[in-house]
Amino acid sequence: MKAAVYKRYGPPEVVKIAEVTTPDPGDDELLIKTYAATVTSGDWRARTMIGPRGFGPIPRLAFGIIGPRRKILGTEMAGRIEAVGKDVTAFKVGEDVIAFPGLAMGCHAEYITMPASGKVVHKPRNLSFPEAAALSFAGTAALHFLRGKGDIKSGETVLIIGASGALGTMGVQIAKYFGADVTGVCSTVNLQLVTSIGAERVVDHTQADITSSSETFDVVFDTVGALPLTKIRRMLRSSGRGVLAAGSLLDNIKAPVWSLIGPQKFYAGVAVEAVEDMRLLVDMAETGSLKPVIDRVYPFDQITQAHAHVGTGHKKGNVVVQFEQD
């Protein structure tokens, strides 16, 4: 099968399409033919080894000190089941699914194997394959940060910084799903987009500094690591919660300490992934409460260009690569 392989860290050009062995499913596994997969900020960090501020070489401990341990990137995908192991009962050949191996990666390939009991669910019927492929990575993270760590409640005010990215556009819709009043922060070109997905108010960060306002919020969700925890703290109400998806090493240290010494709560860290959250996202998609925003869809043989676009830091929502379909 064909796969996008990288053997060293670096620019988009280190990713090259190559022939690799097609995996065989184990007794409790699925073999899934990939129809679409995203190229995410997580793939960008894994390829470049550029982590949040202060982390330096620490990410190499997870991904490989000299070079990448896992040679095929891609954290999420949508496709069709090609084969099942003898012990699999929950899925059948020919069914459309979405799969989320997360840090195990491997989705930038024509086929992938996944445990049937793992993070695999049936594809939402009303989403295209590119849309469905973009549901898991940002969707489960938004649920983790807003519902889990942010403890979001109906009627509360939520500020989402970086509201036009993959995580931000999911965050806006999920905050609205839980009944919050949403203010999004983005650039001029994305104001209409963020409004169209449910934000009551949108702040253009090129024209106004939200941190200089006297307005406070119940939840501040920084999706891009734009602000230090000290500034987020000043924008919170007395019982507010600040959550950072790409916080610096210092913010990761400060967050649990500050949460212990005052009524405000803080979290800076990684998202926890759960198949139950994927099922909720599917339900939300099928009832019209959630739809992944797609910036560009590239043919798989143009995956280097997809990586380059993600690397600009200016994508709207998600970037997807599409494979040949049956």
Side-chain angles (χ1 to χ4, degrees), residues 115-126:
S117 59
K119 294 190 285 292
V120 183
V121 297
H122 290 99
K123 171 185 165 295
R125 294 183 295 272
N126 59 330

Side-chain angles (χ1 to χ4, degrees), residues 72-314:
I72 302 173
L73 295 168
T75 61
E76 60 182 342
M77 58 84 75
R80 184 163 292 164
I81 297 176
E82 188 87 358
V84 299
K86 67 180 183 64
D87 296 335
V88 175
T89 58
F91 296 94
K92 298 178 181 178
V93 171
E95 290 183 325
D96 296 334
V97 294
I98 59 176
F100 185 28
L103 288 177
M105 299 191 171
C107 293
H108 294 167
E110 290 181 314
Y111 294 91
I112 186 172
T113 55
M114 288 287 294
S117 59
K119 294 190 285 292
V120 183
V121 297
H122 290 99
K123 171 185 165 295
R125 294 183 295 272
N126 59 330
L127 295 187
S128 66
F129 280 101
E131 290 169 337
L135 198 61
S136 303
F137 178 78
T140 59
L143 282 171
H144 173 82
F145 287 113
L146 288 172
R147 181 192 59 180
K149 299 302 179 179
D151 192 24
I152 191 172
K153 299 179 179 65
S154 180
E156 290 191 322
T157 57
V158 177
L159 175 68
I160 297 181
I161 301 165
S164 61
L167 183 52
T169 51
M170 280 292 190
V172 170
Q173 295 176 80
I174 286 172
K176 291 298 299 179
Y177 177 81
F178 286 106
D181 183 286
V182 180
T183 297
V185 178
C186 63
S187 62
T188 309
V189 70
N190 296 320
L191 296 177
Q192 185 176 355
L193 166 64
V194 176
T195 300
S196 72
I197 58 175
E200 278 78 15
R201 185 164 67 99
V202 186
V203 177
D204 183 347
H205 71 77
T206 69
Q207 302 296 320
D209 181 5
I210 190 68
T211 65
S212 64
S213 169
S214 60
E215 186 177 5
T216 55
F217 302 87
D218 295 298
V219 178
V220 174
F221 179 25
D222 184 354
T223 71
V224 292
L227 299 178
L229 207 57
T230 49
K231 288 190 175 182
I232 289 176
R233 187 181 196 177
R234 292 197 295 268
M235 292 190 290
L236 290 175
R237 293 177 177 170
S238 59
S239 59
R241 287 84 69 198
V243 285
L244 291 77
S248 68
L249 180 60
L250 183 59
D251 287 337
N252 275 260
I253 296 170
K254 285 180 179 178
V257 177
W258 285 6
S259 296
L260 290 173
I261 61 177
Q264 295 174 331
K265 303 302 177 186
F266 302 92
Y267 177 79
V270 298
V272 176
E273 307 156 357
V275 69
E276 292 80 9
D277 289 342
M278 293 176 65
R279 295 191 181 105
L280 173 58
L281 293 168
V282 169
D283 289 342
M284 292 171 66
E286 292 189 333
T287 57
S289 299
L290 179 69
K291 186 175 183 178
V293 173
I294 305 300
D295 183 348
R296 300 183 187 182
V297 178
Y298 293 84
F300 177 55
D301 61 6
Q302 294 181 18
I303 192 169
T304 300
Q305 291 93 315
H307 273 275
H309 183 51
V310 172
T312 66
H314 298 302

